[in-house]
Amino acid sequence: MTAPPPPPTSTLVRPFTVSISDAEIDDLKQRLARTRWPDPETVGDWSQGVRLQNARSLVDYWERGYDWRRLESELNRFPQFLTEIDGLDIHFVHVRSKNPRAMPLILTHGWPGSIVEFLKLIGPLTDPVPFGGDAADSFDVVVPSLPGFGFSQKPTETGWTVSRIASAWAELMRRLGYTRWAAQGGDWGAVVTTALGAMQPEGLLGIHLNTQFAFPAQIPDALSPEQRHAVETLAVYTGDLGGSNHLQGTKPETVGFALADSPAGQAAWIYEKFQSKTDNRGLAEDALSRDDMLDAISLYWFTNSAASSARIYWENRSGTFAGPKLTLPVAVTVFPKDIPRLPRSWIEDTYSNLIHYGEAAKGGHFAALEQPEILVSEIRTGLRSLRS
């Protein structure tokens, strides 16, 4: 006797609304009020991690001043959906432009990012004219949450590599009816977008990256000043700034216990990244508002996704900054305080069909949050030639 065939995977795209209960918000505030603080650092800088006084200030505002309902309302102003792909419910924002000639664009976030970092981009990309742009630069925008992040389902099995995510994104765009589209990303979003570029699924016209994976597989002995800076910033990234990457790449579940139980711990875990990777004058708050940072932190808290999001490091722990050679059209924007920052020579060597190279005047690793206007302008310019 043979087993019956499995039921077909649903391709239904279902509406989704963000709704966090009052009880969950009350629980967060109670936990914050009961925080047991560590002893202060023994140095006068951030070299041991987040400074106690800065953490207390941020957490105090999270408890007493921050308004989650504001972000919830902002998210719910945009059409959101769930759809099952490869056995997993994927959450995404989908905003169609009023311009029928708009280019479909899928935007992918990284860690500790989320869909919230793109909220300020959606209006200018889908409806450029009110923001000083040209209607000819309109995009339909699709913003999915990575598996295990935000309101996407958490994988219960291994194997969700960036290549598998890229395949899911290609299916998502096909399911939405798009036959010609582009992709953009930074951080892990750039890894997924690079995987799409290597895969070249049907319909993908080109990509824009604000994080580039273009180190040579073998670093040459003789380096230009720009190449040496790239090597030095990569050493900082993997060294002093690499603690969370290493822990999440080796023991994501262990750190997940602490972050799932302590909102102050979750806040510090992400706050340190904003401190160390933004274009600031000494404090993350120079580059980002407390609300911007707590929007990101709160989404991780309320979705209890510390461990599930960390596994993207574990699933892809063999990856390096020496990405694949790409032949499809690639546009890049280099932000001055990104870490690592790659030289143009290596970018040109890796992307043989480089259709745009831009250097932003300011900004760091979190381009969409730090400099949304610059990133919007660069996406428009970088992908414009693909419209013909």
Side-chain angles (χ1 to χ4, degrees):
M1 182 176 180
T2 59
T9 300
S10 172
T11 58
L12 182 66
V13 176
R14 298 116 58 199
F16 178 84
T17 301
V18 178
S19 180
I20 301 301
S21 69
D22 290 340
E24 291 175 275
I25 296 173
D26 291 343
D27 175 71
L28 167 64
K29 293 181 181 294
Q30 292 164 12
R31 288 171 182 263
L32 292 172
R34 296 197 308 269
T35 299
R36 186 174 73 161
W37 298 100
D39 292 336
E41 61 284 347
T42 57
V43 293
D45 56 23
W46 287 67
S47 59
Q48 292 182 353
V50 177
R51 294 175 61 80
L52 179 61
Q53 65 179 20
N54 298 94
R56 294 194 75 137
S57 176
L58 183 68
V59 166
D60 181 71
Y61 178 72
W62 197 9
E63 179 191 352
R64 303 171 189 274
Y66 175 75
D67 181 13
W68 164 263
R69 295 298 184 205
R70 170 196 52 79
L71 175 63
E72 190 173 83
S73 297
E74 188 175 351
L75 283 166
N76 288 333
R77 284 196 302 109
F78 298 109
Q80 298 171 77
F81 305 91
L82 292 174
T83 191
E84 184 183 328
I85 301 176
D86 197 3
L88 212 63
D89 263 348
I90 299 298
H91 166 258
F92 63 99
V93 173
H94 184 203
V95 183
R96 294 186 185 270
S97 173
K98 294 180 291 187
N99 180 356
R101 298 176 62 85
M103 174 186 288
L105 176 68
I106 186 166
L107 300 165
T108 309
H109 66 84
W111 182 91
S114 66
I115 60 168
V116 300
E117 66 193 50
F118 292 122
L119 295 184
K120 295 175 184 177
L121 276 63
I122 294 174
L125 289 175
T126 57
D127 190 15
V129 174
F131 298 91
D134 188 329
D137 287 326
S138 299
F139 293 89
D140 281 3
V141 172
V142 180
V143 190
S145 298
L146 290 166
F149 287 70
F151 299 105
S152 280
Q153 194 172 1
K154 299 175 174 68
T156 57
E157 60 180 12
T158 62
W160 274 95
T161 63
V162 290
S163 295
R164 187 172 178 182
I165 296 169
S167 295
W169 278 196
E171 167 59 21
L172 175 61
M173 297 303 277
R174 186 202 65 77
R175 189 171 296 179
L176 295 176
Y178 293 128
T179 57
R180 293 166 57 82
W181 49 280
Q184 195 281 334
D187 193 80
W188 279 107
V191 189
V192 174
T193 304
T194 299
L196 277 167
M199 188 182 301
Q200 294 196 39
E202 183 178 0
L204 179 61
L205 300 172
I207 64 174
H208 177 275
L209 303 170
N210 60 275
T211 305
Q212 303 84 40
F213 296 87
F215 274 82
Q218 183 67 39
I219 302 295
D221 294 330
L223 297 171
S224 70
E226 293 79 12
Q227 292 168 346
R228 185 165 300 281
H229 178 73
V231 173
E232 290 171 349
T233 55
L234 179 61
V236 173
Y237 180 85
T238 58
D240 287 350
L241 302 185
S244 59
N245 297 4
H246 178 72
L247 183 54
Q248 295 187 151
T250 55
K251 297 293 184 287
E253 191 70 11
T254 300
V255 70
F257 283 99
L259 302 184
D261 191 57
S262 170
Q266 177 70 90
W269 192 245
I270 293 178
Y271 183 29
E272 191 276 327
K273 292 303 167 194
F274 291 144
Q275 170 68 22
S276 61
K277 292 188 176 182
T278 54
D279 184 1
N280 64 65
R281 300 183 303 276
L283 282 178
E285 287 85 345
D286 302 330
L288 300 172
S289 71
R290 290 187 297 182
D291 280 336
D292 281 337
M293 291 188 285
L294 287 170
D295 285 348
I297 292 164
S298 296
L299 187 61
Y300 278 82
W301 175 258
F302 285 126
T303 58
N304 192 16
S305 53
S308 57
S309 64
R311 292 190 193 106
I312 197 169
Y313 287 85
W314 187 90
E315 291 282 5
N316 300 281
R317 56 195 180 279
S318 62
T320 72
F321 272 89
K325 301 277 189 179
L326 299 183
T327 58
L328 87 168
V330 178
V332 306
T333 304
V334 176
F335 284 81
K337 293 302 176 72
D338 200 3
I339 298 177
R341 177 178 174 174
L342 276 72
R344 181 168 186 165
S345 59
W346 288 351
I347 290 171
E348 290 176 339
D349 287 344
T350 303
Y351 310 135
S352 60
N353 191 2
L354 186 67
I355 57 172
H356 172 76
Y357 175 86
E359 290 190 8
K362 54 187 175 180
H365 189 69
F366 301 97
L369 272 179
E370 295 179 64
Q371 300 297 336
E373 292 182 1
I374 293 176
L375 185 58
V376 164
S377 177
E378 282 292 301
I379 292 171
R380 289 172 180 165
T381 303
L383 300 179
R384 191 171 289 144
S385 65
L386 302 181
R387 295 179 182 272
S388 59

